[in-house]
Amino acid sequence: MNINLTLIGQAISFTIFVWFCMRFIWPPVINALEARKKRIADGLADADAAKTERERAEQEAQQTAGQAREEASRILAQAERRASEIVAEARTTAKTEGERILTQAQEEIEKNTQQVREQLRGEVATLAVAGAEAVLQREVDAIDHADALEQLAERL
Amino acid sequence: MATEYATGADYIKHHLTNLTFGQYPDGSWGFAHSREQVEAMGFWAIHVDSMAWAVGLGILFLALFGHAARRATEDVPGGFQNAVEQIIEFIDGTVRDSFSHRNRMVAPLALCSFIWVFLMNLMDLVPVDWVPWAFSLAGVHYMKIVPTTDPNVTMGMSLSVFALVLYYSLRRKGIGGFLGELTLHPFSAKNPFLKALLIPINLFLEGVALLAKPVSHGLRLFGNLYAGEMIFILIALLPLWAQWTLSVPWAIFHVLVILLQAFIFMVLTVVYLNMAHDTGEH
């Protein structure tokens, strides 16, 4: 085991190799590793952000849908209310109209009845007189018996 | 292969000798042809095989990782880029766990220690005779292909780390702070006289602790790999038909060792540098 110049030669080679390593090998590889690490971290962060964004959009969509549903039911209720209002209104109108027609008809009937009665009254008086004349075979003074005829006509 | 050598001891000796280029005692330069010549060359010699395999594997590592780094993109990585990224992320995680300061040199240093040491250790799994035999055909007598079984290599690395530890200690704490760390711990006293008395004791303890770091750092790696290599060489001395019964289990076990030792070397590098950065103020 002799110690000789090899010792110094090896020290020199070691120094040169380490220098080369430090200058040309370590930095590019470690930089590439760092860059890739950063890229992966960025990618993961992006994915996270996208996930959050999607959740937010989903929530928003749900909210919008809920609002639309609410609006629809509101409109439906309104329409129903309006419809029942219209029905009620129509019913009232019809009732009034009916009553009006009824009244008119009744008035007409009344008037006709009256008319007929008047007519009848006249005719009955004549008939009664004629009848009485015929029955009694005697002349009845229409003027004398007007009261009695009037009474008779009243009873019709 | 062992049969070519006169004795088992010769075979082992041969396989544990580096291809050494250096100065002969007579002043001329050349390759050593025997272990004795290697010894005689002393410090002014270089293990050509260790250096060549170490540098070659280092360049292989840089080429592979450089290729991946040049084409690194933040898009979907290909298979090879993915593998490199896995390793780099693993190292980055380990460094983050045990290094609590800001220094952009530590992580590349850890990567370089781990992969380079691992590749050098991996050579241990190449059957011990193949490469030396191939080189002997080319006329090269010695060829040790596992650089981390050479203490020069492991100590060269651990001493480089130690130099960084000293540099950062001085830069972060200043000379005063660093000396204070060496002399005022672990025993401290309020009384100035007692304090002065404790300085040599502290300096001795802390000095030993400080110097033990690079030595244990380098020798731990060397020792583990050297022992592993030695066992492979001893197994290779067995008759050919019996070798696999031992070499296969040992190789499988050794996969764990080479990976673990590379990892330990890296972690210790990071931990020592972390200690150098710690100013004691938290």
Side-chain angles (χ1 to χ4, degrees), chain A residues 1-11 13-14 17-18 20-22 24-26 28-30 32-33 35-36 39, chain B residues 38 42-43 45 47 51 54 58 62 69 73-75 85 88-89 92 105 107-109 116 152-153 155-157 160:
Chain A
M1 295 309 108
N2 24 16
I3 294 298
N4 57 27
L5 280 176
T6 315
L7 187 77
I8 292 160
Q10 178 70 9
S13 329
F14 189 44
F17 288 161
V18 169
F20 187 92
C21 217
M22 188 175 143
F24 297 110
I25 292 175
W26 191 265
V29 176
I30 212 81
L33 285 175
R36 191 180 310 138
R39 206 157 109 178
Chain B
V38 173
F43 184 77
H47 292 157
M51 281 312 300
L62 292 179
T73 63
E74 55 176 292
D75 293 320
E85 279 176 5
I88 286 192
E89 270 203 314
D92 195 41
M105 196 206 63
L109 171 66
W116 194 23
N152 289 296
V153 168
M155 289 306 289
M157 293 177 83
S160 307

